[in-house]
Amino acid sequence: MTSASTGMSPAPHLQDEFPREPKASRGKHGKKPGLRDHDGKTAAMLFGPTGLILIALVAVPIAFLLISSFSDFNQRSLFTGEFNIVGLQQYAIALADKDFWYAMLRTVLFTAALVLGSVLIGMYVSQMMTRLNGAMRYLVTFVLIFAWAMPNVASSIVWKWLFQPGYGVVNWMLTRLRIFGDMSNTAWSNNTTLALLCIWMLVVWQAVPYIAITLYAATIAVDHSCLEAAQLDGAGSWRMYWQILVPMIKPSLLVVSILSVIWDFNVFNQIWLVSQGGPSGSTATIGVFTYTKAFVGFDIGQGSAISVITVLLLLVLTGVYIRNLLKSGEDL
C-alpha cells in the first residue's frame, strides 16, 4: 500500500523482515528429536567394557598406591598379604630423608637443563625449516617425525651402544679428533658428569622433533605483514625474531615449555637404561630414586609415599599448563 503524502510504501515490521526461527519440535516426553529411549542403553553397552578396563588399569593401581603409602607394605607383604596402617609415617620418613631431597634437587636442575636445551634447539630447527625449500623441508620433517616416533627404550639402547667403551662410535670419533686424548675405553656411565651429559643429549634428541614441528606450525600461521613492516623499518633478523615473532608465537612456546617440564620431570627409561642412576646414585632423579626404594629395596610403602608426593607436584604443573592453555584460547 502506498502512502498518500510521501508516495513511499511503509517500512515492513521487523518481525516480518527477520522471521523467528521455528522452535525445535520435541517428542511426547519432552525429548529432543533424534534421541531415542534405547540410545542410553546402547551407549552404556559400548562404553561399559572400556570403563571397566580403565577402572582396572588406572583406578585400582591408584587406590593401591594411596593405601600402601599409608602402610608398611614390603616384600613380606607381597607373599603374606599382611601389612599395618602407619598413617603419615612413610611421608614423614621420606621428607626427612636427605637422599630424597638430593634426588629432588637433582631432578629440578636436570629438568631445567633439559627444557632449556630442547626448547632452544627446537626454536632454532623451526626457524631453519622456514628457510628451506619444499623438498628439503619435507625431508627434515620426515626425519624429525621418525626420530620422535622411535621408542625411547630402543633409542636408549642404541645410545648406549654409541657410547660403549672399547667399540663405541662416539669414543672412536672423539679419539680420532685428538682433542680429548684417547677416549676409546672411556666408560661414560661411570662418570657423573659424562653420564648426565650423555643422558641430556639423548633426551633432548628425542624432545626436539615435537617442539620444532609445533613451533614451525605456529610460525607459518602468524601474520607476516608485521615482519615485513619491521624489515622495511630497518630491523635486523635477530631483533625481528626476538621482539616480533617470539611474542606472536608465545602461546605455543609456553605450551611446549610446560609440557617439556612435565615430560622431563618424569624421565626414567633413559636414565635407567644408560646409567641405572649410577655411579653411586649421582644420576638418580626422583623417578629412579622411587623405583630403587620400591622395587630394589622392596620398601613399597616408602616408594608409594614418594610417588604420591611426586604426583602432587605434577598436578600443580598440570594446573599451570591448563590455566595457560585456557588463557591462550585453545580447547582442552
Side-chain angles (χ1 to χ4, degrees):
M1 180 177 179
T2 304
S3 173
S5 60
T6 61
M8 298 176 61
S9 300
H13 196 276
L14 291 178
Q15 285 186 343
D16 298 334
E17 188 173 359
F18 302 102
R20 291 180 181 178
E21 295 181 358
K23 292 182 179 179
S25 60
R26 292 177 178 271
K28 60 181 180 180
H29 298 296
K31 294 181 179 179
K32 292 183 178 180
L35 291 179
R36 292 170 292 185
D37 293 336
H38 61 272
D39 283 347
K41 297 178 181 178
T42 305
M45 291 177 61
L46 292 175
F47 290 101
T50 305
L52 292 176
I53 293 173
L54 285 176
I55 291 173
L57 296 180
V58 177
V60 173
I62 290 177
F64 174 76
L65 178 71
L66 289 173
I67 294 172
S68 59
S69 69
F70 294 103
S71 70
D72 59 353
F73 205 96
N74 52 26
Q75 188 176 14
R76 178 181 60 83
S77 304
L78 291 174
F79 297 97
T80 63
E82 298 176 354
F83 59 89
N84 300 312
I85 300 298
V86 295
L88 296 174
Q89 182 180 344
Q90 298 289 8
Y91 292 91
I93 294 174
L95 296 176
D97 187 359
K98 64 178 182 180
D99 291 335
F100 166 76
W101 290 109
Y102 284 147
M104 186 63 73
L105 177 63
R106 192 179 302 118
T107 304
V108 171
L109 295 177
F110 195 49
T111 299
L114 288 171
V115 173
L116 187 64
S118 56
V119 170
L120 287 178
I121 296 175
M123 293 171 72
Y124 172 77
V125 174
S126 68
Q127 282 304 300
M128 181 192 69
M129 292 174 67
T130 61
R131 302 171 188 273
L132 297 177
N133 57 33
M136 284 301 297
R137 189 164 58 249
Y138 281 121
L139 179 62
V140 172
T141 304
F142 172 77
V143 172
L144 289 174
I145 293 175
F146 179 78
W148 185 56
M150 191 172 180
N152 56 29
V153 173
S155 58
S156 300
I157 293 174
V158 172
W159 210 260
K160 195 170 183 178
W161 289 346
L162 293 175
F163 290 86
Q164 192 72 19
Y167 54 86
V169 175
V170 175
N171 287 356
W172 176 81
M173 291 179 62
L174 291 175
T175 302
R176 289 291 180 181
L177 290 175
R178 301 181 186 280
I179 297 176
F180 305 103
D182 185 7
M183 295 192 64
S184 56
N185 291 319
T186 300
W188 290 63
S189 58
N190 290 340
N191 181 284
T192 302
T193 304
L194 294 179
L196 288 174
L197 178 62
C198 178
I199 297 167
W200 182 88
M201 289 189 290
L202 171 61
V203 177
V204 169
W205 175 73
Q206 293 173 325
V208 161
Y210 172 78
I211 297 173
I213 293 175
T214 303
L215 295 182
Y216 170 72
T219 301
I220 62 175
V222 301
D223 184 6
H224 285 263
S225 60
C226 299
L227 297 172
E228 294 171 358
Q231 190 175 17
L232 291 176
D233 290 339
S237 56
W238 188 259
R239 189 176 179 184
M240 288 170 54
Y241 180 73
W242 286 106
Q243 294 189 358
I244 298 176
L245 183 60
V246 168
M248 295 174 74
I249 63 171
K250 185 180 176 182
S252 299
L253 189 60
L254 189 61
V255 168
V256 296
S257 299
I258 295 174
L259 282 177
S260 297
V261 170
I262 296 173
W263 291 337
D264 294 338
F265 197 91
N266 286 316
V267 166
F268 174 80
N269 290 340
Q270 295 90 333
I271 299 175
W272 187 254
L273 292 172
V274 172
S275 69
Q276 294 188 339
S280 302
S282 59
T283 60
T285 57
I286 195 66
V288 176
F289 180 74
T290 305
Y291 178 82
T292 306
K293 279 281 184 182
F295 299 107
V296 177
F298 279 105
D299 192 351
I300 297 176
Q302 182 66 199
S304 300
I306 297 172
S307 298
V308 172
I309 295 172
T310 306
V311 169
L312 293 177
L313 290 174
L314 290 176
L315 283 177
V316 173
L317 293 175
T318 305
V320 174
Y321 164 66
I322 294 176
R323 179 174 175 271
N324 286 284
L325 203 63
L326 293 175
K327 287 177 65 177
S328 65
E330 297 186 25
D331 295 329
L332 291 174

